[in-house]
């Protein structure tokens, strides 16, 4: 007998107490080991329309809802007695007549809370799908008994109706409503197993052994790592004859694809070594935890997937080939540049010189005046005059020689000989590298990755979003031997962020972003899988008013059932931490500033700069201190040498606010004190 779990079961399990979950897991294991065990207390649900629904007693009040036939048993739902029975009475498991996919369908006549508009005044309403043929709606996976409701849906009732439909049908309708043309579901042969359909595989998973079930039950909140969307599965399993990239706006599942890609490649070749990496250690730690959720029940496979930040793996490989590197921190470099500028009294700001060192001199490892004088400066409309460059180079040359004499290496400097060494000998390295948040890797890091795995089949796979580029100046990947043209795909379904939050955040960015090599990422056509409350954007008269507004909002979140550790509070820089902590104190809650090493403890609101929010998510997010001269940061504005520099600064500052806002799943508050950031005008809608 085949044993499966449904995504509805993993969702319902998380709503129980810890002790209740333990009892459910014990019962689930017993069912998997021997569904016919006489000790299992099955009860047929006489009131259920689907006569294959049974309840299984877990405890005095907890009931498992299973769908049982001769050849299979499916864990569908778990809850207290009455809600569990009510859930089963409102659903049936059926095979869709057109697509052939297995679906858990809500029975239309039992739904009392769907707000169906008054059809008498239909002439005054704008129906969304009244001209869509029923055959097309069936092609999209809409259950037959919901066709009438779908045909009569308008903007007010759309999300109410889609909340009751199978995911593929809901996504297709949302895409139609936003002007897109959804792909028709791929039908399967009449004789095929309806659970084998790609749409069915995203919500039902076959459990082949006890270890796999244990993993799924231990991390039910990570169900996205178990149930893949068909468009994601295609990217995970495809063979590429060169470097490939998956793109998509925030929340579309790029990290999910990266994780599954790592597991797929490690499974496909039992002798391969896979590197899963990203640009900082906090994100690498998050990837490691998610990988454990996904494949922790396969220890031999996990041994062949290593997760490090790019700098960490660079240090390891450098140490193995040349000895432990003595790396200097960015903070120390900035301090030395500031001191040198004070002595030399150049006409340039400290921030400009730091950016010039980071993005030009150190990034491209320029070692001579001639190299610096002639380097191409992407996007600049006006060039620095040669005497100006000479003055800057004089400062940088002294700094470079000083670091060399003291035995220091910058991170970029570490990667240069390592890349050259790997170009000649990749023994002891990796067969595949999967890079998450790829939009923020540097010149030296990309050069290193190209040398590490660029020549292998399926060697390089990148996941990223140009709209979230906040750390790196744009540069040509193609010039470093990494060309993803023709092998770049975009995901369009947002699983993390509500329709309301996503729509507001999208207003901060253009509809299309093109990189230096001409690869375009279209940001239109993305749809969110669920609805939520409207984001709040507030401009307050003074700091005290802002603190009270944020404190009241934080209290309302907690009072509605959101735990403090499920809340993130972001500010532009550490200079605004005091404002954030003051708001938390006023709410009588607890907050903790989070750095790259130590995440926020349970029961405490995470306070961090917008830059550190990258790759994280919270049920509720407040973005504070969005004042004029803080966002965009005045220090960066003052460092601009020409209009193109200024445009790039404005772009990345917008990206930064976009990143902060899209960390929110359900609730978002953005505040500033008059005069507020000009970006809030766009965000206000």
């Amino acid at each position: 007998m085949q044993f499966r779990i449904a995504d509805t079961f993993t969702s319902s399990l998380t709503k129980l107490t810890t002790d209740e979950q333990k009892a459910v897991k014990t019962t689930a294991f017993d069912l998997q080991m021997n569904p016919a065990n006489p000790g299992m207390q099955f009860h047929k649900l006489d009131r259920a329309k689907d006569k294959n629904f049974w309840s299984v007693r877990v405890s005095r009040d907890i009931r498992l809802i299973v769908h049982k036939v001769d050849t299979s048993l499916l864990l569908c739902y778990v809850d207290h007695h009455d809600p569990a029975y009510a859930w089963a009475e409102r659903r049936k498991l059926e095979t869709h007549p057109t697509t052939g996919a297995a679906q858990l369908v809500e029975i239309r006549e039992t739904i009392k809370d769907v707000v169906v508009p008054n059809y008498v005044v239909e002439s005054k309403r704008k129906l969304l799908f009244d001209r869509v043929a029923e055959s097309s709606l069936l092609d999209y996976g809409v259950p037959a008994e919901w066709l009438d409701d779908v045909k009569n849906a308008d903007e007010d009732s759309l999300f109410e109706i889609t909340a009751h439909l199978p995911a593929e049908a809901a996504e297709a309708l949302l895409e139609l409503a936003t002007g897109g043309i959804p792909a028709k579901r791929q039908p399967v042969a009449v004789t095929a197993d309806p659970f084998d359909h790609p749409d069915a595989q995203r919500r039902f998973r076959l459990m082949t052994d006890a270890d796999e079930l244990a993993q799924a039950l231990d991390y039910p909140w990570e169900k996205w790592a178990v149930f893949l969307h068909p468009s994601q599965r295609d990217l995970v399993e495809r063979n590429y004859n060169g470097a490939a990239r998956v793109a998509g706006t925030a929340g579309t599942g790029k990290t999910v694809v990266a994780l599954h890609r790592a597991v797929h490649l490690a499974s496909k070749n039992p002798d391969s070594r896979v590197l899963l990496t990203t640009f900082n250690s906090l994100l690498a730690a998050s990837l490691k935890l998610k990988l454990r959720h996904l494949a922790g029940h396969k220890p031999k496979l996990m041994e062949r997937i290593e997760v490090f930040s790019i700098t960490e793996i660079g240090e390891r490989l450098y140490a193995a080939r040349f000895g432990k590197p003595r790396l200097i921190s960015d903070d120390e470099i900035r301090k030395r540049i500031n001191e040198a500028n004070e002595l030399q009294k150049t006409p340039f700001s400290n921030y400009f010189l730091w950016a010039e060192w980071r993005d030009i001199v150190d990034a491209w490892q320029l070692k001579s005046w001639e190299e610096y004088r002639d380097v191409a400066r992407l996007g600049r409309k006006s060039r620095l005059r040669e005497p100006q460059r000479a003055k800057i180079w004089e400062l940088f040359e002294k700094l470079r020689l000083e670091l060399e004499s003291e035995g220091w290496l910058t991170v970029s400097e570490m990667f240069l000989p390592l890349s050259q060494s790997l170009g000649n000998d990749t023994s002891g390295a990796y067969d595949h590298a999967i890079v998450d948040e790829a939009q923020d890797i540097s010149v030296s890091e990309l050069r290193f990755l190209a040398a590490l795995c660029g020549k292998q089949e399926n060697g390089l796979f990148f996941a990223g979003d140009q709209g979230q580029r906040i750390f790196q100046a744009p540069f040509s990947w193609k010039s470093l031997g990494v060309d993803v043209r023709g092998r770049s795909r975009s995901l369009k379904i947002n699983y993390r962020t509500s329709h309301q939050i996503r729509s507001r955040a999208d207003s901060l960015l253009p509809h299309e972003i093109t990189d230096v090599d001409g690869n375009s990422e279209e940001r239109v056509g993305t749809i969110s899988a669920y609805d939520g409350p409207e984001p709040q954007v507030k401009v307050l008269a003074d700091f005290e008013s802002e603190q009270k507004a944020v404190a009241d909002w934080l209290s309302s979140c907690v009072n509605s059932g959101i735990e403090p550790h499920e809340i993130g509070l972001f500010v532009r820089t550490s200079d605004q931490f005091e404002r954030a902590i003051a708001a938390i104190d006023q709410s009588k809650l607890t907050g903790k500033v989070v750095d790259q090493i130590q995440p926020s403890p349970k029961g405490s609101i995470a306070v961090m700069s917008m830059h550190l929010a990258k790759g994280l998510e919270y049920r509720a997010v407040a973005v504070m201190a969005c004042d004029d001269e803080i966002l965009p940061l005045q220090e960066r504005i003052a460092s601009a040498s020409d209009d193109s520099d200024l445009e790039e600064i404005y772009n990345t500052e917008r990206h930064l606010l976009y990143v902060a806002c899209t960390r929110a799943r359900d609730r978002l508050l953005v505040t500033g004190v008059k005069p507020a950031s000009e970006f809030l005008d766009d965000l206000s809608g």
Side-chain angles (χ1 to χ4, degrees):
M1 175 179 283
Q2 292 184 322
F3 187 86
R4 291 184 174 87
I5 63 172
D7 58 351
T8 49
F9 172 74
T10 60
S11 296
S12 61
L13 181 61
T14 63
K15 298 175 183 178
L16 301 180
T17 67
T18 301
D19 288 341
E20 289 169 342
Q21 288 185 34
K22 289 179 180 177
V24 171
K25 292 174 185 179
T26 299
T27 303
F29 286 124
D30 291 342
L31 278 171
Q32 185 187 39
M33 295 303 295
N34 184 10
N37 186 335
M40 303 304 300
Q41 298 184 38
F42 282 87
H43 175 72
K44 194 168 184 63
L45 302 181
D46 295 329
R47 295 178 60 184
K49 293 291 182 70
D50 189 327
K51 298 308 178 183
N52 293 314
F53 272 138
W54 297 71
S55 77
V56 177
R57 180 187 173 95
V58 175
S59 64
R60 196 168 105 180
D61 189 43
I62 301 297
R63 297 294 184 270
L64 262 175
I65 302 299
V66 303
H67 191 275
K68 182 168 69 79
V69 295
D70 291 341
T71 57
S72 70
L73 186 142
L74 172 68
L75 299 185
C76 297
Y77 193 75
V78 64
D79 206 334
H80 295 270
H81 182 283
D82 291 349
Y85 276 44
W87 184 93
E89 290 165 8
R90 296 197 307 267
R91 284 164 180 81
K92 59 185 175 181
L93 181 68
E94 64 178 25
T95 300
H96 191 277
T98 300
T99 68
Q103 295 178 328
L104 274 170
V105 177
E106 287 194 73
I107 299 170
R108 177 62 190 89
E109 61 264 27
T110 68
I111 305 300
K112 306 299 183 185
D113 54 350
V114 174
V115 180
V116 180
N118 184 353
Y119 299 151
V120 175
V121 294
E122 188 172 296
S123 60
K124 297 181 180 179
R125 297 167 52 242
K126 182 180 179 182
L127 302 182
L128 298 173
F129 312 115
D130 58 322
R131 297 187 179 183
V132 181
E134 289 189 358
S135 59
S136 295
L137 295 176
L138 290 170
D139 284 338
Y140 298 142
V142 175
E145 64 189 79
W146 283 87
L147 288 173
D148 287 343
D149 292 295
V150 170
K151 295 283 281 186
N152 285 285
D154 61 10
E155 289 185 1
D156 293 331
S157 63
L158 175 60
F159 275 102
E160 188 65 42
I161 290 171
T162 57
H164 297 281
L165 298 179
E168 66 270 26
E171 290 163 6
L173 294 181
L174 290 169
E175 188 170 353
L176 277 174
T178 53
I181 302 176
K184 293 184 178 181
R185 317 319 298 172
Q186 190 66 37
V188 296
V190 176
T191 57
D193 188 334
F195 288 104
D196 289 340
H197 191 283
D199 284 324
Q201 289 181 359
R202 63 191 291 197
R203 53 180 164 261
F204 306 114
R205 184 175 179 184
L206 181 67
M207 298 286 107
T208 57
D209 55 46
D211 288 340
E212 191 171 11
L213 178 61
Q215 194 70 13
L217 297 182
D218 280 344
Y219 304 105
W221 55 91
E222 296 286 357
K223 66 176 184 178
W224 53 262
V226 175
F227 302 101
L228 269 181
H229 187 279
S231 63
Q232 294 174 327
R233 188 177 299 280
D234 176 64
L235 294 170
V236 165
E237 298 177 353
R238 181 177 295 194
N239 282 320
Y240 298 97
N241 59 3
R245 179 172 65 186
V246 57
T249 61
T252 51
K254 299 179 294 297
T255 298
V256 176
V257 170
L259 287 160
H260 277 272
R261 179 75 175 169
V263 172
H264 170 73
L265 291 173
S267 303
K268 184 179 177 183
N269 181 0
D271 296 322
S272 63
R273 292 183 66 202
V274 179
L275 173 66
L276 180 59
T277 187
T278 188
F279 67 89
N280 72 27
S281 57
L282 182 63
L283 291 177
S286 176
L287 284 175
K288 188 175 293 186
L289 178 62
K290 291 173 179 176
L291 181 67
R292 195 178 306 134
H293 293 169
L294 177 62
H297 63 292
K298 300 178 181 178
K300 290 185 178 179
L301 184 144
M302 288 285 287
E303 289 175 1
R304 294 186 290 106
I305 305 176
E306 298 184 21
V307 187
F308 297 102
S309 71
I310 299 180
T311 299
E312 288 170 339
I313 195 59
E315 288 185 72
R316 284 170 171 261
L317 292 178
Y318 188 99
R321 295 181 180 230
F322 307 107
K324 184 175 175 59
R326 188 167 182 250
L327 296 178
I328 191 168
S329 69
D330 284 348
D331 288 343
E332 178 62 24
I333 290 284
R334 291 191 70 167
K335 177 185 172 185
R336 296 194 184 205
I337 287 175
N338 295 350
E339 291 171 349
N341 195 28
E342 184 69 25
L343 289 173
Q344 203 163 316
K345 295 187 176 1
T346 75
F348 305 101
S349 70
N350 290 339
Y351 190 92
F352 171 82
L353 291 173
W354 158 243
E356 186 78 355
W357 169 270
R358 179 194 62 201
D359 298 335
I360 304 294
V361 176
D362 188 47
W364 293 95
Q365 283 296 286
L366 307 179
K367 300 296 186 182
S368 69
W369 156 243
E370 290 76 18
E371 287 177 331
Y372 180 62
R373 180 191 62 195
D374 299 333
V375 68
R377 303 165 70 80
L378 287 172
R380 296 286 205 297
K381 293 178 181 176
S382 60
R383 296 167 61 88
L384 284 172
R385 296 192 304 274
E386 190 166 312
Q388 291 177 305
R389 286 203 187 191
K391 191 77 172 175
I392 295 171
W393 180 253
E394 182 183 344
L395 184 151
F396 287 156
E397 176 70 359
K398 288 179 181 177
L399 174 62
R400 193 177 63 80
L401 292 174
E402 180 182 295
L403 297 179
E404 185 178 329
S405 67
E406 295 176 14
W408 289 110
L409 288 176
T410 66
V411 171
S412 294
E413 206 167 9
M414 172 189 73
F415 278 123
L416 183 60
L418 183 55
S419 300
Q420 293 169 341
S421 172
L422 288 167
N424 300 320
D425 176 19
T426 58
S427 59
Y430 298 89
D431 301 287
H432 311 283
I434 290 90
V435 187
D436 195 28
E437 303 293 352
Q439 75 280 346
D440 276 317
I441 61 174
S442 68
V443 171
S444 61
E445 290 166 345
L446 186 64
R447 184 186 283 126
F448 159 69
L449 291 166
L452 183 69
C453 293
K455 296 177 183 178
Q456 286 95 310
E457 181 181 358
N458 294 316
L460 291 175
F461 187 87
F462 300 93
D465 172 18
Q466 288 297 319
Q468 297 182 65
R469 180 178 56 80
I470 56 178
F471 289 102
Q472 297 298 330
F475 63 92
S476 170
W477 284 26
K478 186 181 175 185
S479 69
L480 298 176
V482 179
D483 189 356
V484 297
R485 291 177 302 173
R487 293 181 298 276
S488 182
R489 298 290 183 272
S490 291
L491 298 171
K492 293 293 186 181
I493 301 172
N494 187 307
Y495 300 96
R496 182 179 68 214
T497 305
S498 72
H499 167 74
Q500 286 75 10
I501 293 174
R502 179 193 58 76
S503 298
R504 291 285 192 93
D506 282 350
S507 67
L508 291 167
L509 302 180
H511 291 163
E512 183 176 73
I513 297 179
T514 303
D515 67 16
V516 173
D517 295 322
N519 297 299
S520 294
E521 295 179 9
E522 290 190 2
R523 309 186 67 78
V524 294
T526 299
I527 59 173
S528 294
Y530 67 98
D531 211 13
E534 285 288 343
Q536 299 179 43
V537 180
K538 295 185 177 182
V539 177
L540 290 309
D542 49 47
F543 295 157
E544 292 75 18
S545 299
E546 182 190 41
Q547 288 167 12
K548 183 178 186 309
V550 174
D552 290 346
W553 184 85
L554 293 173
S555 297
S556 71
C557 288
V558 173
N559 291 337
S560 69
I562 299 175
E563 296 290 337
H565 66 272
E566 297 177 311
I567 303 174
L569 205 169
F570 307 144
V571 291
R572 174 61 180 84
T573 70
S574 59
D575 293 339
Q576 291 85 49
F577 282 163
E578 188 175 340
R579 285 169 68 174
I581 294 297
I584 294 174
D585 289 344
Q586 191 168 333
S587 72
K588 309 299 183 185
L589 298 169
T590 301
K592 180 177 175 59
V593 174
V594 176
D595 59 26
Q596 270 188 277
I597 306 300
Q598 182 63 47
S600 181
K602 192 167 184 177
S604 180
I605 295 169
V607 179
M608 67 184 74
S609 68
M610 294 182 187
H611 283 89
L612 285 186
K614 192 73 202 72
L616 305 177
E617 68 174 69
Y618 296 89
R619 285 186 64 188
V621 164
V623 187
M624 280 188 71
C626 297
D627 309 345
D628 185 39
E629 298 194 358
I630 291 179
L631 189 71
L633 193 64
Q634 183 59 33
E635 183 184 22
R636 294 194 67 200
I637 298 295
S639 73
S641 62
D642 59 33
D643 289 345
S644 290
D645 267 355
L646 192 60
E647 181 181 2
E648 169 61 15
I649 289 167
Y650 266 86
N651 285 343
T652 51
E653 293 285 308
R654 279 183 174 274
H655 294 179
L656 193 56
L657 181 56
Y658 172 83
V659 165
C661 291
T662 53
R663 302 311 95 192
R665 287 168 44 197
D666 304 317
R667 297 192 181 194
L668 173 65
L669 171 69
V670 182
T671 66
V673 170
K674 293 180 180 179
S677 168
E678 61 193 87
F679 297 160
L680 298 196
D681 291 337
D682 294 329
L683 195 61
S684 296

